[in-house]
Amino acid sequence: MSIRIGILGYGNLGRGVECAVKANDDLELVAVFTRRDPALLSIKTPGVPVVNVSDVEEWEDKIDVMILCGGSATDLPVQTPHYAKMFNVVDSFDTHARIPEHFANVDKAAKENGHVGIISVGWDPGLFSLARVYSNAILPNGKDYTFWGRGVSQGHSDAIRRIEGVADARQYTVPVEKALAAVRAGENPELSTREKHTRECYVVLEDGADAAKVEQEIKTMPNYFADYDTTVHFISQEELDKNHKGLPHGGSVIRSGVTGHDGENKHVIEFKLDLDSNPEFTTSVLVCYARAAYRLAKEGVTGCKTVLDIAPSYLSAQSDEELRAHLL
Amino acid sequence: MSIRIGILGYGNLGRGVECAVKANDDLELVAVFTRRDPALLSIKTPGVPVVNVSDVEEWEDKIDVMILCGGSATDLPVQTPHYAKMFNVVDSFDTHARIPEHFANVDKAAKENGHVGIISVGWDPGLFSLARVYSNAILPNGKDYTFWGRGVSQGHSDAIRRIEGVADARQYTVPVEKALAAVRAGENPELSTREKHTRECYVVLEDGADAAKVEQEIKTMPNYFADYDTTVHFISQEELDKNHKGLPHGGSVIRSGVTGHDGENKHVIEFKLDLDSNPEFTTSVLVCYARAAYRLAKEGVTGCKTVLDIAPSYLSAQSDEELRAHLL
């Protein structure tokens, strides 16, 4: 019998989960829940109902794990504790600073109602967190580096789009190759924000907008761009649609450390991702943790978990015996 | 209170564990066990007794986790099940094909005596296994690649040393850069053994040995060298001692896969190690799993485990709250 998956929210993430479920034989999509009018939503999987979220309680016994595909700013802080009362849930909450608070809220709701809630699943937080925890434990004497990109930052793209005179924009975060090379060589450099990443912006102007003024406004924007070497390219909407519609991303978590009685031996651990589609990869991770949530719940576990609390074997559709024989 | 660690076997691995224990404040080395005459063994940690292995039973209540530092060929298949009767144990058993059998033996002994035994800990098997399991679960439609090196293969070095006329030797396994680049680019190449790695040999001849004959014997040795492009450099013992005494190693586990309704998006996950000292890095991993063994045993868990069965947080000296706040 398949694990019955529900999707709540049908944006980039929801569509990604739909696709990832299809790629895993032991998972089955049973319903998509939306705040919109279900009649207006057309999904890709034939025969799967689209349901208004107001009717979600009727599905309590029909769904093993609900994957919450809302945003971290306002949706998930409310949704995850709420739906953890009804379902085992998985989310991709990615506001690092608010994780302890979100954990506590989800833990309480999940425990009181006998469910499992797995939060902050994806690649950062998620796989990058795993890389940090494993490598910090193994090399206690060392230094951590995280590089992002080359990839589209949706937050930075949005920030550009909010500027007056901008019709559309895409921003790429790009790691500085020289910095990456020094870190990979175990040189343990001290790197400023500017030395680690550059920012590349592709901007479509509205008719009559002042390019110089827009460029100046981008480059001096505090937090987003002022601390970086930023380049701005003005292009047509056609060119943006043709060359910059994808959502590639990736990056590297690197820990460089030493062992030996005098710290004489250097070691570098790197975990690297190169992704054509950020949402499709993120949701490929989400469905693995949905599988884990289902198994943990079956074992009687309740409460909130993160990727750090879950043994790797829970993610795989293969049995422990198969994993030991073929992948260990 | 510290976790009390015992070391059984004081070769490269045993010395590495001693060093790794020192790097972790929550671990304490309490004794080193040897098959040799303890009086002849001088260890680096002041005040720690060296004990003949025949007296090991007296230490049953004084050691929380025994780290077994024997070899996989003949020592560990016997030692790990044997010592799992007396202690929580961790080993680095690395004969992939015999893992299921070793697991069963250790599981039985550990369960019958209320202990935890963690086997096949290190980087391959170990961290590379984790990389394979995580990335296979996340990208079910994909292809695995493992590259080793540049690093010293002790098995291949030994094989050369067994040839008549050879006084000493070091063999480096070297990944082929072109193959690595193609895999990293997501090209999913089919690679023969020869296309993935080359073998570099540094050989010291005995007086009067026939260099051409030795070179021919190396290059045609079945399994070890015949399927590879092998280069042989004849050097002096002085040069070998000066430039080739270290035990560097490393490598990459790469999974390349696709997502999307038509498999249109490519993703590459890479886990990469670059290590100055293979034994010191291996033992840095071993002590993390000794910490995990101690914690699992305290929770009442018994039986054999592998890295695939253990949640990442068990490896870290930090609390779950600290990990969530700082590394997630």
Side-chain angles (χ1 to χ4, degrees):
Chain A
M1 212 196 68
S2 303
I3 302 171
R4 299 166 303 172
I5 303 291
I7 293 173
L8 200 147
Y10 197 70
N12 277 338
L13 282 184
R15 287 193 296 270
V17 170
E18 181 181 19
C19 199
V21 165
K22 212 173 73 173
N24 286 280
D25 293 340
D26 63 330
L27 308 180
E28 182 196 355
L29 180 61
V30 295
V32 172
F33 299 87
T34 178
R35 288 178 287 204
R36 292 176 269 176
D37 177 355
L40 300 178
L41 201 71
S42 135
I43 70 168
K44 294 231 176 186
T45 318
V48 169
V50 179
V51 181
N52 190 278
V53 76
S54 58
D55 295 327
V56 71
E57 288 182 38
E58 295 165 23
W59 291 77
E60 236 176 289
D61 298 328
K62 296 174 197 149
I63 284 172
D64 296 312
V65 186
M66 183 72 89
I67 302 182
L68 303 173
C69 298
S72 293
T74 55
D75 295 336
L76 297 176
V78 178
Q79 287 179 350
T80 316
H82 178 69
Y83 293 109
K85 295 178 189 161
M86 288 169 245
F87 302 99
N88 301 308
V89 293
V90 178
D91 81 17
S92 61
F93 185 75
D94 66 1
T95 313
H96 289 261
R98 296 185 62 194
I99 286 174
E101 171 195 349
H102 189 54
F103 182 92
N105 294 338
V106 176
D107 196 48
K108 184 166 183 289
K111 277 200 179 124
E112 285 175 359
N113 296 276
H115 292 126
V116 171
I118 309 181
I119 63 162
S120 302
V121 174
W123 59 274
D124 195 5
L127 303 184
F128 275 19
S129 321
L130 293 172
R132 285 187 283 264
V133 168
Y134 278 114
S135 61
N136 272 266
I138 293 161
L139 295 176
N141 300 319
K143 201 163 153 52
D144 285 319
Y145 296 88
T146 304
F147 290 91
W148 290 274
R150 188 174 193 262
V152 171
S153 163
Q154 302 197 59
H156 287 78
S157 301
D158 289 344
I160 299 173
R161 279 191 288 264
R162 284 192 296 265
I163 293 172
E164 204 190 310
V166 171
D168 204 349
R170 265 295 195 271
Q171 193 270 181
Y172 294 90
T173 305
V174 185
V176 175
E177 278 303 325
K178 198 181 134 195
L180 251 176
V183 170
R184 284 182 177 142
E187 293 171 14
N188 276 5
E190 290 292 334
L191 296 168
S192 66
T193 299
R194 191 177 299 275
E195 287 167 325
K196 287 177 70 183
H197 297 93
T198 58
R199 299 199 176 276
E200 269 176 41
C201 313
Y202 293 83
V203 179
V204 181
L205 291 174
E206 286 174 350
D207 283 347
D210 179 344
K213 188 163 167 281
V214 167
E215 180 165 346
Q216 176 67 6
E217 231 178 292
I218 294 171
K219 288 185 170 176
T220 57
M221 198 186 294
N223 304 317
Y224 284 87
F225 294 100
D227 298 333
Y228 299 86
D229 288 338
T230 301
T231 52
V232 179
H233 306 275
F234 292 103
I235 60 174
S236 65
Q237 185 71 52
E238 293 67 37
E239 195 181 336
L240 187 132
D241 291 345
K242 187 173 162 235
N243 298 330
H244 303 283
K245 269 293 154 186
L247 292 169
H249 220 313
S252 284
V253 172
I254 304 175
R255 186 163 176 89
S256 166
V258 295
T259 63
H261 287 280
D262 301 308
E264 65 273 26
N265 289 312
K266 279 195 304 194
H267 308 279
V268 180
I269 306 176
E270 176 170 358
F271 179 74
K272 183 170 182 281
L273 296 174
D274 187 355
L275 314 173
D276 270 2
S277 165
N278 185 350
E280 285 182 9
F281 186 80
T282 298
T283 51
S284 297
V285 181
L286 280 168
V287 300
C288 291
Y289 282 94
R291 179 182 289 127
Y294 171 77
R295 291 181 179 171
L296 290 167
K298 269 185 72 173
E299 291 175 7
V301 172
T302 65
C304 189
K305 303 284 165 190
T306 75
V307 298
L308 307 180
D309 307 313
I310 296 171
S313 63
Y314 282 85
L315 274 65
S316 174
Q318 295 184 53
S319 71
D320 289 351
E321 290 74 17
E322 287 173 309
L323 292 177
R324 279 197 295 273
H326 304 299
L327 292 180
L328 189 64
Chain B
M1 213 194 69
S2 302
I3 302 170
R4 299 167 303 173
I5 303 290
I7 292 174
L8 200 146
Y10 196 70
N12 277 338
L13 282 184
R15 287 193 296 271
V17 169
E18 181 181 19
C19 200
V21 164
K22 214 175 72 173
N24 286 280
D25 293 339
D26 63 330
L27 308 179
E28 183 195 355
L29 181 62
V30 295
V32 172
F33 299 87
T34 178
R35 287 178 287 203
R36 293 177 267 176
D37 177 355
L40 300 178
L41 201 72
S42 136
I43 69 167
K44 295 233 177 188
T45 317
V48 169
V50 178
V51 181
N52 190 276
V53 76
S54 58
D55 296 326
V56 71
E57 288 181 38
E58 295 165 23
W59 290 78
E60 236 177 288
D61 298 327
K62 297 174 196 148
I63 284 173
D64 295 312
V65 186
M66 185 72 90
I67 302 182
L68 302 173
C69 298
S72 294
T74 55
D75 295 335
L76 297 176
V78 178
Q79 286 179 350
T80 316
H82 179 70
Y83 292 109
K85 293 177 189 162
M86 288 170 245
F87 302 100
N88 301 308
V89 294
V90 177
D91 80 17
S92 61
F93 185 75
D94 66 1
T95 312
H96 289 263
R98 295 185 62 193
I99 287 175
E101 170 194 349
H102 189 55
F103 182 93
N105 294 338
V106 176
D107 195 49
K108 184 166 182 288
K111 276 199 179 125
E112 284 175 0
N113 296 278
H115 292 126
V116 171
I118 309 182
I119 64 162
S120 301
V121 174
W123 58 274
D124 194 5
L127 303 184
F128 274 19
S129 322
L130 291 173
R132 285 187 282 266
V133 168
Y134 278 115
S135 60
N136 272 267
I138 293 160
L139 294 176
N141 299 318
K143 200 162 154 54
D144 286 319
Y145 295 89
T146 305
F147 290 91
W148 290 274
R150 188 176 192 260
V152 171
S153 164
Q154 302 196 59
H156 287 77
S157 301
D158 289 343
I160 299 172
R161 279 191 288 261
R162 284 192 296 265
I163 293 173
E164 204 189 311
V166 171
D168 204 350
R170 266 296 194 272
Q171 192 270 182
Y172 295 90
T173 305
V174 185
V176 175
E177 278 303 325
K178 198 181 134 195
L180 251 177
V183 170
R184 285 182 178 142
E187 292 171 14
N188 276 6
E190 289 293 334
L191 296 169
S192 67
T193 298
R194 191 176 299 273
E195 287 167 325
K196 287 177 70 183
H197 298 94
T198 59
R199 300 200 174 276
E200 269 176 42
C201 312
Y202 293 83
V203 179
V204 180
L205 291 173
E206 285 172 351
D207 282 345
D210 179 344
K213 188 162 167 281
V214 168
E215 181 165 346
Q216 176 67 7
E217 230 177 294
I218 294 172
K219 288 186 170 177
T220 56
M221 197 186 294
N223 303 318
Y224 285 87
F225 294 100
D227 298 333
Y228 298 85
D229 289 339
T230 301
T231 53
V232 179
H233 306 275
F234 292 104
I235 61 174
S236 66
Q237 185 72 52
E238 292 67 38
E239 195 182 336
L240 187 131
D241 291 345
K242 187 173 162 233
N243 298 329
H244 303 283
K245 269 293 154 186
L247 292 169
H249 220 312
S252 284
V253 172
I254 303 175
R255 186 163 175 88
S256 166
V258 295
T259 63
H261 287 280
D262 301 308
E264 64 273 26
N265 288 311
K266 280 197 302 195
H267 308 280
V268 180
I269 305 175
E270 176 169 358
F271 179 74
K272 183 169 182 281
L273 295 174
D274 188 356
L275 313 174
D276 269 2
S277 165
N278 186 351
E280 286 184 8
F281 187 80
T282 298
T283 51
S284 298
V285 181
L286 280 168
V287 300
C288 291
Y289 283 93
R291 180 183 287 127
Y294 171 75
R295 291 182 180 171
L296 289 167
K298 268 186 71 172
E299 291 176 8
V301 172
T302 65
C304 189
K305 303 284 166 191
T306 77
V307 299
L308 307 180
D309 307 313
I310 295 171
S313 63
Y314 281 85
L315 274 66
S316 173
Q318 294 184 53
S319 71
D320 289 351
E321 290 73 18
E322 287 173 309
L323 292 177
R324 280 197 294 274
H326 303 301
L327 292 180
L328 189 67

